[in-house]
mmCIF file of all heavy atoms in Angstrom:
data_model
loop_
_atom_site.group_PDB
_atom_site.id
_atom_site.type_symbol
_atom_site.label_atom_id
_atom_site.label_comp_id
_atom_site.label_asym_id
_atom_site.label_seq_id
_atom_site.Cartn_x
_atom_site.Cartn_y
_atom_site.Cartn_z
ATOM 1 N N GLU I 154 123.544 68.054 -105.395
ATOM 2 C CA GLU I 154 123.536 68.394 -103.967
ATOM 3 C C GLU I 154 124.948 68.409 -103.398
ATOM 4 O O GLU I 154 125.312 69.294 -102.618
ATOM 5 C CB GLU I 154 122.673 67.394 -103.194
ATOM 6 C CG GLU I 154 122.614 67.675 -101.704
ATOM 7 C CD GLU I 154 121.807 66.638 -100.943
ATOM 8 O OE1 GLU I 154 121.260 65.711 -101.571
ATOM 9 O OE2 GLU I 154 121.726 66.766 -99.703
ATOM 10 N N TYR I 163 121.713 73.489 -104.742
ATOM 11 C CA TYR I 163 120.698 72.835 -103.928
ATOM 12 C C TYR I 163 119.307 72.905 -104.566
ATOM 13 O O TYR I 163 118.540 71.929 -104.503
ATOM 14 C CB TYR I 163 120.651 73.459 -102.539
ATOM 15 C CG TYR I 163 121.838 73.147 -101.658
ATOM 16 C CD1 TYR I 163 122.211 74.008 -100.629
ATOM 17 C CD2 TYR I 163 122.580 71.982 -101.840
ATOM 18 C CE1 TYR I 163 123.295 73.720 -99.806
ATOM 19 C CE2 TYR I 163 123.668 71.695 -101.027
ATOM 20 C CZ TYR I 163 124.024 72.572 -100.014
ATOM 21 O OH TYR I 163 125.092 72.287 -99.207
ATOM 22 N N TYR I 167 117.162 69.754 -105.631
ATOM 23 C CA TYR I 167 115.822 69.559 -105.082
ATOM 24 C C TYR I 167 114.821 69.271 -106.191
ATOM 25 O O TYR I 167 113.969 68.377 -106.061
ATOM 26 C CB TYR I 167 115.423 70.825 -104.310
ATOM 27 C CG TYR I 167 114.084 70.781 -103.637
ATOM 28 C CD1 TYR I 167 113.846 69.933 -102.562
ATOM 29 C CD2 TYR I 167 113.046 71.622 -104.048
ATOM 30 C CE1 TYR I 167 112.615 69.908 -101.925
ATOM 31 C CE2 TYR I 167 111.817 71.613 -103.419
ATOM 32 C CZ TYR I 167 111.605 70.752 -102.355
ATOM 33 O OH TYR I 167 110.390 70.734 -101.727
ATOM 34 N N LEU I 170 115.443 65.659 -107.461
ATOM 35 C CA LEU I 170 115.012 64.678 -106.463
ATOM 36 C C LEU I 170 113.492 64.610 -106.391
ATOM 37 O O LEU I 170 112.915 63.520 -106.243
ATOM 38 C CB LEU I 170 115.608 65.026 -105.095
ATOM 39 C CG LEU I 170 117.123 64.819 -104.965
ATOM 40 C CD1 LEU I 170 117.627 65.396 -103.653
ATOM 41 C CD2 LEU I 170 117.486 63.344 -105.071
ATOM 42 N N ARG I 171 112.830 65.756 -106.513
ATOM 43 C CA ARG I 171 111.363 65.766 -106.563
ATOM 44 C C ARG I 171 110.872 65.000 -107.790
ATOM 45 O O ARG I 171 109.880 64.251 -107.710
ATOM 46 C CB ARG I 171 110.858 67.211 -106.586
ATOM 47 C CG ARG I 171 111.029 67.987 -105.285
ATOM 48 C CD ARG I 171 109.898 67.726 -104.300
ATOM 49 N NE ARG I 171 108.601 68.081 -104.844
ATOM 50 C CZ ARG I 171 108.069 69.303 -104.824
ATOM 51 N NH1 ARG I 171 108.752 70.309 -104.260
ATOM 52 N NH2 ARG I 171 106.878 69.534 -105.338
ATOM 53 N N GLN I 193 112.332 60.440 -100.961
ATOM 54 C CA GLN I 193 111.640 61.212 -99.932
ATOM 55 C C GLN I 193 112.583 61.585 -98.794
ATOM 56 O O GLN I 193 112.542 62.712 -98.285
ATOM 57 C CB GLN I 193 110.441 60.424 -99.400
ATOM 58 C CG GLN I 193 109.361 60.147 -100.430
ATOM 59 C CD GLN I 193 108.701 61.420 -100.944
ATOM 60 O OE1 GLN I 193 108.850 62.494 -100.365
ATOM 61 N NE2 GLN I 193 107.966 61.310 -102.048
ATOM 62 N N ALA I 194 113.435 60.663 -98.402
ATOM 63 C CA ALA I 194 114.393 60.957 -97.340
ATOM 64 C C ALA I 194 115.402 62.002 -97.803
ATOM 65 O O ALA I 194 115.775 62.905 -97.037
ATOM 66 C CB ALA I 194 115.105 59.683 -96.910
ATOM 67 N N ALA I 195 115.839 61.892 -99.073
ATOM 68 C CA ALA I 195 116.795 62.865 -99.610
ATOM 69 C C ALA I 195 116.170 64.257 -99.685
ATOM 70 O O ALA I 195 116.827 65.263 -99.379
ATOM 71 C CB ALA I 195 117.264 62.411 -100.988
ATOM 72 N N ILE I 196 114.914 64.313 -100.087
ATOM 73 C CA ILE I 196 114.200 65.593 -100.170
ATOM 74 C C ILE I 196 114.077 66.220 -98.775
ATOM 75 O O ILE I 196 114.299 67.419 -98.587
ATOM 76 C CB ILE I 196 112.814 65.384 -100.797
ATOM 77 C CG1 ILE I 196 112.959 65.032 -102.283
ATOM 78 C CG2 ILE I 196 111.935 66.625 -100.629
ATOM 79 C CD1 ILE I 196 111.691 64.478 -102.907
ATOM 80 N N ALA I 197 113.723 65.395 -97.794
ATOM 81 C CA ALA I 197 113.550 65.894 -96.420
ATOM 82 C C ALA I 197 114.858 66.440 -95.854
ATOM 83 O O ALA I 197 114.858 67.446 -95.121
ATOM 84 C CB ALA I 197 113.016 64.775 -95.536
ATOM 85 N N ARG I 198 115.990 65.806 -96.206
ATOM 86 C CA ARG I 198 117.288 66.292 -95.723
ATOM 87 C C ARG I 198 117.681 67.599 -96.404
ATOM 88 O O ARG I 198 118.346 68.450 -95.800
ATOM 89 C CB ARG I 198 118.366 65.233 -95.970
ATOM 90 C CG ARG I 198 118.298 64.018 -95.068
ATOM 91 C CD ARG I 198 119.580 63.206 -95.153
ATOM 92 N NE ARG I 198 119.850 62.765 -96.522
ATOM 93 C CZ ARG I 198 119.444 61.602 -97.027
ATOM 94 N NH1 ARG I 198 118.723 60.769 -96.267
ATOM 95 N NH2 ARG I 198 119.733 61.263 -98.272
ATOM 96 N N LEU I 199 117.272 67.753 -97.663
ATOM 97 C CA LEU I 199 117.702 68.914 -98.440
ATOM 98 C C LEU I 199 116.840 70.153 -98.187
ATOM 99 O O LEU I 199 117.353 71.286 -98.221
ATOM 100 C CB LEU I 199 117.675 68.552 -99.935
ATOM 101 C CG LEU I 199 118.153 69.609 -100.928
ATOM 102 C CD1 LEU I 199 119.575 70.072 -100.603
ATOM 103 C CD2 LEU I 199 118.077 69.068 -102.348
ATOM 104 N N GLU I 200 115.574 69.969 -97.942
ATOM 105 C CA GLU I 200 114.650 71.110 -97.818
ATOM 106 C C GLU I 200 115.105 72.179 -96.832
ATOM 107 O O GLU I 200 114.972 73.384 -97.121
ATOM 108 C CB GLU I 200 113.244 70.612 -97.465
ATOM 109 C CG GLU I 200 112.404 70.322 -98.689
ATOM 110 C CD GLU I 200 110.959 70.004 -98.337
ATOM 111 O OE1 GLU I 200 110.678 69.708 -97.161
ATOM 112 O OE2 GLU I 200 110.117 70.042 -99.257
ATOM 113 N N PRO I 201 115.641 71.827 -95.648
ATOM 114 C CA PRO I 201 116.056 72.872 -94.704
ATOM 115 C C PRO I 201 117.169 73.772 -95.242
ATOM 116 O O PRO I 201 117.395 74.869 -94.699
ATOM 117 C CB PRO I 201 116.540 72.072 -93.481
ATOM 118 C CG PRO I 201 115.831 70.764 -93.582
ATOM 119 C CD PRO I 201 115.750 70.484 -95.049
ATOM 120 N N ARG I 202 117.864 73.337 -96.278
ATOM 121 C CA ARG I 202 118.952 74.144 -96.844
ATOM 122 C C ARG I 202 118.443 75.163 -97.873
ATOM 123 O O ARG I 202 119.222 75.988 -98.352
ATOM 124 C CB ARG I 202 119.979 73.239 -97.518
ATOM 125 C CG ARG I 202 120.611 72.211 -96.594
ATOM 126 C CD ARG I 202 121.588 71.338 -97.358
ATOM 127 N NE ARG I 202 122.145 70.292 -96.515
ATOM 128 C CZ ARG I 202 123.022 69.376 -96.938
ATOM 129 N NH1 ARG I 202 123.431 69.408 -98.202
ATOM 130 N NH2 ARG I 202 123.480 68.462 -96.124
ATOM 131 N N LEU I 203 117.172 75.078 -98.202
ATOM 132 C CA LEU I 203 116.611 75.945 -99.234
ATOM 133 C C LEU I 203 115.795 77.067 -98.621
ATOM 134 O O LEU I 203 115.131 76.889 -97.589
ATOM 135 C CB LEU I 203 115.718 75.122 -100.173
ATOM 136 C CG LEU I 203 116.416 74.032 -100.987
ATOM 137 C CD1 LEU I 203 115.380 73.124 -101.636
ATOM 138 C CD2 LEU I 203 117.312 74.641 -102.050
ATOM 139 N N ARG I 204 115.816 78.215 -99.301
ATOM 140 C CA ARG I 204 114.955 79.313 -98.885
ATOM 141 C C ARG I 204 113.524 79.023 -99.360
ATOM 142 O O ARG I 204 113.322 78.318 -100.370
ATOM 143 C CB ARG I 204 115.444 80.633 -99.488
ATOM 144 C CG ARG I 204 116.850 81.029 -99.046
ATOM 145 C CD ARG I 204 117.202 82.435 -99.521
ATOM 146 N NE ARG I 204 117.104 82.554 -100.962
ATOM 147 C CZ ARG I 204 118.082 82.237 -101.824
ATOM 148 N NH1 ARG I 204 119.231 81.748 -101.355
ATOM 149 N NH2 ARG I 204 117.911 82.404 -103.115
ATOM 150 N N PRO I 205 112.519 79.557 -98.655
ATOM 151 C CA PRO I 205 111.125 79.308 -99.059
ATOM 152 C C PRO I 205 110.857 79.672 -100.516
ATOM 153 O O PRO I 205 110.117 78.965 -101.206
ATOM 154 C CB PRO I 205 110.314 80.183 -98.096
ATOM 155 C CG PRO I 205 111.179 80.300 -96.879
ATOM 156 C CD PRO I 205 112.594 80.333 -97.397
ATOM 157 N N GLU I 207 112.904 79.538 -102.982
ATOM 158 C CA GLU I 207 113.507 78.533 -103.870
ATOM 159 C C GLU I 207 112.590 77.319 -103.981
ATOM 160 O O GLU I 207 112.398 76.772 -105.076
ATOM 161 C CB GLU I 207 114.879 78.114 -103.326
ATOM 162 C CG GLU I 207 115.942 79.180 -103.464
ATOM 163 C CD GLU I 207 117.276 78.740 -102.874
ATOM 164 O OE1 GLU I 207 117.285 78.257 -101.720
ATOM 165 O OE2 GLU I 207 118.292 78.879 -103.567
ATOM 166 N N ILE I 208 112.023 76.911 -102.861
ATOM 167 C CA ILE I 208 111.085 75.785 -102.878
ATOM 168 C C ILE I 208 109.862 76.140 -103.707
ATOM 169 O O ILE I 208 109.378 75.320 -104.507
ATOM 170 C CB ILE I 208 110.686 75.402 -101.436
ATOM 171 C CG1 ILE I 208 111.900 74.858 -100.683
ATOM 172 C CG2 ILE I 208 109.551 74.374 -101.449
ATOM 173 C CD1 ILE I 208 111.646 74.572 -99.217
ATOM 174 N N LEU I 209 109.382 77.371 -103.562
ATOM 175 C CA LEU I 209 108.212 77.807 -104.311
ATOM 176 C C LEU I 209 108.493 77.786 -105.818
ATOM 177 O O LEU I 209 107.637 77.371 -106.601
ATOM 178 C CB LEU I 209 107.794 79.210 -103.869
ATOM 179 C CG LEU I 209 106.545 79.787 -104.543
ATOM 180 C CD1 LEU I 209 105.330 78.895 -104.289
ATOM 181 C CD2 LEU I 209 106.284 81.206 -104.045
ATOM 182 N N VAL I 211 110.575 75.858 -107.406
ATOM 183 C CA VAL I 211 110.580 74.459 -107.845
ATOM 184 C C VAL I 211 109.154 73.922 -107.924
ATOM 185 O O VAL I 211 108.791 73.223 -108.875
ATOM 186 C CB VAL I 211 111.444 73.588 -106.903
ATOM 187 C CG1 VAL I 211 111.272 72.104 -107.236
ATOM 188 C CG2 VAL I 211 112.917 73.978 -107.021
ATOM 189 N N ASP I 212 108.329 74.276 -106.944
ATOM 190 C CA ASP I 212 106.923 73.858 -106.966
ATOM 191 C C ASP I 212 106.242 74.325 -108.256
ATOM 192 O O ASP I 212 105.532 73.558 -108.916
ATOM 193 C CB ASP I 212 106.172 74.422 -105.763
ATOM 194 C CG ASP I 212 106.509 73.715 -104.460
ATOM 195 O OD1 ASP I 212 107.021 72.580 -104.528
ATOM 196 O OD2 ASP I 212 106.254 74.302 -103.385
#
Side-chain angles (χ1 to χ4, degrees):
E154 180 183 358
Y163 289 154
Y167 182 68
L170 290 171
R171 289 276 301 275
Q193 296 296 346
I196 290 166
R198 287 194 302 268
L199 183 56
E200 270 187 344
R202 301 179 184 179
L203 296 168
R204 298 188 302 275
E207 289 178 311
I208 294 175
L209 182 59
V211 171
D212 286 341

